[in-house]
Amino acid sequence: LATRDALIEEGVGNHEFRKAVYAYAETLYNTIDLDADGVLNPAEVEYGRMLAVATAHEASAEDVQDLQRLAEEGAFGAAPAEHFFRTLDTDLDGFLGASEFSLAVCDSVAFFGEHLADCAHPPTQQLAATLFHKADVTGDGLLGCREAQYGGLLLNSYILDQLVGLIFRDVDLDRDERISRQEVKTVGGSTHEDGDALPLLLGWFDRFDADHDGFLNESETWRFAAAMLTAQSGEVDI
């Protein structure tokens, strides 16, 4: 990679180079300006930082897409990254080792175990090791604050992908790769003893049926699943 000084030297008197840099900056700005209001709020800035981490680690297109979906759902505004990091840094050394990160992964999988019990997910320790490797951008065997948050987002994305698979398996009764409102009503009414659950599920359906066609596609179902897990964690009111 070029050094900062080399880039500055290259940019001096090179109009085409500066033009390319400005074009890239504009593209990046538009990417992280999720509400397209011309201003970056703190959550969008945090999304930009996480996107930089993902890019530096050559994340897959799927991981980057999941990162954007999490950003659109407000994952970066839920809690300060520093607070998230401090709760996991048990030895207070300013970094997360593999064992500290693994404990966080185990706790999360155990917490959502009710949803994931039927999934064909890898053993928790293996999953933790995979996510740790993806998040360890510097390759030093430790996660800094930004790397740890990125690892947490990858874990959230993994859990959501698993839940989406379960929803399609159990709710998509006609196997047309869409979730209809009637299917949610049929399955939700038969599997929840609590009478308040079905109105909540239908409310989420109406909220995330973005094109109002009466069905949830895969992307809309992903957001539906995010609402389910958020409500389960009790962190945010839906």
Side-chain angles (χ1 to χ4, degrees), residues 19-222:
K19 184 178 178 181
V21 171
Y22 291 147
Y24 172 76
E26 182 178 10
T27 299
L28 178 61
Y29 188 97
N30 292 334
T31 298
I32 65 178
D33 183 18
L34 297 171
D35 53 12
D37 64 351
V39 178
L40 297 182
N41 60 43
E44 290 168 334
V45 171
E46 191 62 33
Y47 168 46
R49 289 171 176 163
M50 290 298 100
L51 189 61
V53 171
T55 302
H57 203 46
E58 299 181 352
S60 67
E62 184 178 86
D63 283 342
V64 171
Q65 184 180 38
D66 287 344
L67 198 63
Q68 180 178 348
R69 290 191 291 187
L70 287 166
E72 291 170 347
E73 284 304 302
F76 299 104
E82 290 75 12
H83 173 73
F84 167 82
F85 182 81
R86 286 196 300 269
T87 60
L88 302 180
D89 183 18
T90 55
D91 58 8
L92 304 178
D93 65 347
F95 296 94
L96 294 189
S99 60
E100 290 170 317
F101 185 76
S102 180
L103 285 175
V105 172
C106 290
D107 287 345
S108 295
V109 172
F111 184 84
F112 296 116
E114 176 185 349
H115 298 290
L116 303 176
D118 296 333
C119 293
H121 56 279
T124 305
Q125 295 294 335
Q126 178 185 336
L127 173 63
T130 299
L131 297 180
F132 186 91
H133 175 71
K134 283 188 174 185
D136 183 17
V137 177
T138 59
D140 60 359
L142 296 169
L143 301 185
C145 182
R146 302 300 178 196
E147 291 173 318
Q149 192 188 23
Y150 179 46
L153 291 168
L154 290 174
L155 175 61
N156 289 345
S157 176
Y158 171 82
I159 291 175
L160 283 170
D161 285 342
Q162 296 296 313
L163 182 55
V164 167
L166 288 182
I167 290 174
F168 273 101
R169 188 197 70 183
D170 296 340
V171 182
D172 182 18
L173 301 177
D174 58 7
R175 299 293 183 255
D176 65 349
E177 299 184 352
R178 301 183 300 174
I179 305 297
S180 72
R181 199 175 193 277
Q182 183 57 48
E183 286 171 332
V184 171
K185 193 171 183 179
T186 298
V187 176
S190 63
T191 59
H192 288 82
E193 297 179 3
D194 184 356
D196 293 334
L198 183 56
L200 187 61
L201 292 173
L202 293 176
W204 289 337
F205 183 97
D206 294 336
R207 174 181 172 183
F208 297 113
D209 180 17
D211 52 11
H212 306 293
D213 65 349
F215 296 90
L216 298 183
N217 58 31
E218 183 177 1
S219 177
E220 293 167 336
T221 303
W222 201 90

